[in-house]
Amino acid sequence: MDQLIWPAWPLPLGALLPVALALVLTALVGEAGRRIGLPRVSGYVLAGIVLGPLALGWFDANDLASYRLVVDFTIALILFELGLRLDLRWLITNRWVVAASAGEMALTFALTFGALWAVGTGPRVALAVAAIAVGTSPVILMHVTNELRAAGPTTDRLLALCALNVTVSLILLKLLVGVLHGTHAGWQLALLHPLYLLLGSALAGALIAAAYLGLRKIVDPTSEQGLAALIALLLAALALLSALRLPTQLAPIIAGAFIKWRDPRPHLWPQQVGTVGGVLVIVTFMLSGAAVSAGELFAGAGVGLLAILVRALAKLGGAMAFGPVSGLDLRKSLALGVGLMPLSILALLQAEDVRLLYPEFGDRLLPIVVAMAVVLGLLGPIATRRALIRVREHRRGEHS
């Protein structure tokens, strides 16, 4: 009886207290970063690395797997919002923006592949890293632009190119996985599986968009009920995508773009999503450190740093070469290239997903991506922030 009414000793605190302390610590590091003039998200990345196996060891890869649904939901939410900002009509009438994006991505892919192949990583690892290098972190870009309340031609192109980069990066990596299927299971699977992933994601995106547009007629999307409906819709979509073994990242961004196509001025993002999304972003970066171990970081440091250097040159060169034809002057083109630098949790998840399918190949790929994500997760937000401030597209008087 006494055991039921009096607390046991030591106190059985379970897993909640460490998670709560980690959440507070991550938020405080982000705020400390803001006070010394850094983006909060750089502090979140730093806190995640410190909390992971690299330092304190509060989280490890098993925790990342346990909370994968939270991370996937956060990224889906961010990609859905990014898709809502991707105006396909604007891209059709501004084809040079698409051409500039294609040029920048092609240069990034080709130079990264060439550099890694030249140092002996093997063509498939070089192709996989090049595919991931094409992408830009949507979580970091959305967080930094929202924090600065940035607006203007450079910001518009930055978000549009980020959406295109993420989409193309995911597709390129799926095609490469198809090649791996071909090596292990024949060409039929090599062709059919990527086709299934792409068509399935497009169809799922269209269904999510149709469901969202239908829900919007029933509930006010700016109300609490609208928030609940949106969260339920994305959770149901993630459950269905996972059950169908479809990627959970492509469909949300496609859905957002479809909605933007149907309604050029959706402007229906519930205010509450900003608060919920902010907490989820902190949690996601807190957990992302679980993917960073000392062994993998140092094993991939040399090649990773080479990939970072080449990727930076390619992004800057592509933006500088193709930016002016899309309507930006050289200063804003340079800012666009710098702004595309961030790479973080999505890149880690891409590499981790490949490792689940092909462990030996993934063990060679993941250390390089870990090194890239750590450096560009810490420094990328600073670069993006400075670039947007440099071209004066942040809110006047805002320096936080």
Side-chain angles (χ1 to χ4, degrees), residues 345-366:
I345 180 66
L346 183 55
L348 292 174
L349 294 182
Q350 286 178 274
E352 184 62 36
D353 288 345
V354 172
R355 184 162 72 167
L356 288 175
L357 288 174
Y358 297 102
E360 186 179 347
F361 178 78
D363 286 342
R364 296 164 56 201
L365 171 65
L366 192 59

Side-chain angles (χ1 to χ4, degrees), residues 18-32:
V19 171
L21 292 175
L23 185 58
V24 171
L25 178 62
T26 305
L28 290 176
V29 174
E31 180 61 20

Side-chain angles (χ1 to χ4, degrees), residues 28-47:
L28 290 176
V29 174
E31 180 61 20
R34 185 194 72 82
R35 296 194 177 198
I36 60 174
L38 300 176
R40 288 186 178 92
V41 73
S42 287
Y44 301 158
V45 175
L46 177 61

Side-chain angles (χ1 to χ4, degrees), residues 314-332:
K315 292 283 183 191
L316 287 172
M320 295 289 288
F322 299 103
V325 298
S326 70
L328 290 181
D329 60 28
L330 283 176
R331 186 169 63 95
K332 292 186 175 180

Side-chain angles (χ1 to χ4, degrees), residues 14-26 58-59 67 283 286-287:
L16 284 180
L17 186 61
V19 171
L21 292 175
L23 185 58
V24 171
L25 178 62
T26 305
W58 287 16
F59 299 101
Y67 293 100
V283 172
M286 183 182 81
L287 293 171

Side-chain angles (χ1 to χ4, degrees), residues 174-175 177-179 181-182 185-201 244-247:
K174 297 305 177 192
L175 292 175
V177 171
V179 174
H181 291 334
W187 64 269
Q188 295 93 340
L189 187 60
L191 292 175
L192 290 177
H193 189 243
L195 192 63
Y196 168 72
L197 296 180
L198 299 179
L199 292 180
S201 295
L244 293 172
R245 298 193 183 281
L246 291 170

